[in-house]
Amino acid sequence: MTGSPDIREGEVTVGFDPAQTPDASVHFIGKVQSPWSPGDCPKNLRQAREDGRGAVLVLKPAFAPALAGLEVGQAIIVAYWMHAARRDMVVQAPRHLDEPRGSFAIRSPNRPNPVSLGTVTITAIDLDAGRVEIDAIDCFDGTPLVDIKPWLPTIDTPA
Amino acid sequence: MTGSPDIREGEVTVGFDPAQTPDASVHFIGKVQSPWSPGDCPKNLRQAREDGRGAVLVLKPAFAPALAGLEVGQAIIVAYWMHAARRDMVVQAPRHLDEPRGSFAIRSPNRPNPVSLGTVTITAIDLDAGRVEIDAIDCFDGTPLVDIKPWLPTIDTPA
């Protein structure tokens, strides 16, 4: 929990560190190459899109074959692990909100399981190299990758 | 990997079990109460919606405060752990596809990190009890919950 924010007024923690009580494990499939460092990372994917700079998903070689079937122009959901996040916060008071809100009601990286999601578009793909170029991402360079899924409007938009 | 499917023609595995080489840990925040058992579970969220039966997200009491701010009618993304999935498959040949496809190009539960995602709508919520009723889900009763996020069209649809 290095780099965790301090607790602000109205914030509540769960009283234990979910990272220390594991129910299952995650294996990182690769990492994100992005133009961002912790100091200048966009606050969300909308801001990253406005910037206009893309990013690259770089898979570990063993997982490169799992990209077969993805195509340029296709929308994908990228799941990435916010390893600097604080996992014990259940109510948070981000500065842009009027009042504290539950961690499951906001998109903060600080959550019991710090997986962030972004829906992005493939701009180039190199299957042999295990590299997928995308239009934008809101995480800093080196962020671990958890999953890539095709975005499907029948599942990924409300009924 | 109990209950794993056998390998079909054209399928490829990564040669190790990602569950045995952890990079990070997941802490389950609760579980799904659904009308489905492994034998009759809908194949996807679209099928589950057509059925018309809802489901309930039941949080562990310690995480109930993290629901504060969610509202009836709101769309959320539910992330759930497919614990019976096979995690070593990189190319798969599901029966509904003409040819094998990479695990990251399909929505199969069999993937290195078996987190499934569904975008659903809140139909009722009980903050004190940590219960969120939703319109539909495509996983069977007792499936562990990993995360709940508000669905945001600016992040969760392609640019």
Side-chain angles (χ1 to χ4, degrees):
Chain A
M1 305 213 295
T2 315
S4 302
D6 293 320
I7 292 288
R8 300 194 189 107
E9 174 143 1
E11 295 191 326
V12 178
T13 76
V14 75
F16 64 93
D17 182 1
Q20 300 305 317
T21 48
D23 291 311
S25 68
V26 167
H27 179 89
F28 297 147
I29 59 168
K31 61 184 178 180
V32 178
Q33 274 182 0
S34 86
W36 313 117
S37 61
D40 65 5
C41 194
K43 287 198 192 73
N44 54 50
L45 185 56
R46 186 178 53 77
Q47 280 194 3
R49 285 171 177 165
E50 285 167 3
D51 172 83
R53 275 180 282 180
V56 188
L57 311 178
V58 183
L59 270 66
K60 294 176 182 169
F63 292 111
L67 298 172
L70 292 177
E71 294 177 359
V72 172
Q74 185 174 357
I76 53 174
I77 299 174
V78 180
Y80 39 106
W81 190 263
M82 306 301 268
H83 51 53
R86 181 163 177 159
R87 298 179 62 172
D88 64 341
M89 304 203 49
V90 284
V91 178
Q92 300 178 50
R95 290 194 176 77
H96 67 282
L97 291 179
D98 288 341
E99 54 180 17
R101 221 180 276 184
S103 297
F104 300 144
I106 56 178
R107 294 292 283 249
S108 165
N110 299 315
R111 51 204 316 116
N113 297 297
V115 176
S116 282
L117 302 174
T119 297
V120 303
T121 302
I122 298 176
T123 55
I125 188 162
D126 183 336
L127 283 178
D128 293 329
R131 288 170 58 91
V132 182
E133 297 182 31
I134 56 175
D135 60 337
I137 198 91
D138 60 336
C139 60
F140 54 82
D141 190 49
T143 298
L145 270 174
V146 173
D147 203 2
I148 298 170
K149 297 180 192 289
W151 180 81
L152 300 175
T154 52
I155 295 175
D156 299 313
T157 58
Chain B
M1 304 211 295
T2 315
S4 304
D6 293 320
I7 292 288
R8 301 195 187 105
E9 175 145 0
E11 295 191 323
V12 179
T13 76
V14 74
F16 64 92
D17 182 0
Q20 301 303 318
T21 49
D23 291 311
S25 68
V26 167
H27 179 88
F28 298 147
I29 59 167
K31 62 184 178 181
V32 178
Q33 274 182 359
S34 86
W36 313 116
S37 61
D40 65 5
C41 195
K43 287 198 191 72
N44 54 49
L45 186 56
R46 187 179 52 77
Q47 281 193 2
R49 286 170 176 166
E50 285 167 3
D51 173 84
R53 273 180 285 178
V56 188
L57 312 178
V58 183
L59 270 65
K60 295 176 182 170
F63 293 111
L67 298 172
L70 292 176
E71 294 176 359
V72 171
Q74 184 175 358
I76 52 174
I77 300 175
V78 180
Y80 39 105
W81 191 263
M82 306 300 269
H83 51 52
R86 182 164 177 157
R87 298 181 61 173
D88 65 340
M89 305 207 42
V90 284
V91 177
Q92 301 178 50
R95 290 196 174 79
H96 67 282
L97 291 178
D98 289 342
E99 54 181 19
R101 219 180 277 185
S103 297
F104 299 143
I106 57 179
R107 294 290 285 248
S108 164
N110 299 314
R111 49 204 317 115
N113 298 297
V115 176
S116 281
L117 302 175
T119 297
V120 303
T121 301
I122 298 176
T123 56
I125 187 163
D126 182 336
L127 283 177
D128 293 329
R131 289 171 58 93
V132 182
E133 296 182 31
I134 56 174
D135 59 336
I137 198 88
D138 60 336
C139 60
F140 55 81
D141 189 50
T143 298
L145 271 175
V146 173
D147 203 2
I148 298 170
K149 296 179 193 291
W151 180 82
L152 301 175
T154 53
I155 295 176
D156 299 313
T157 58

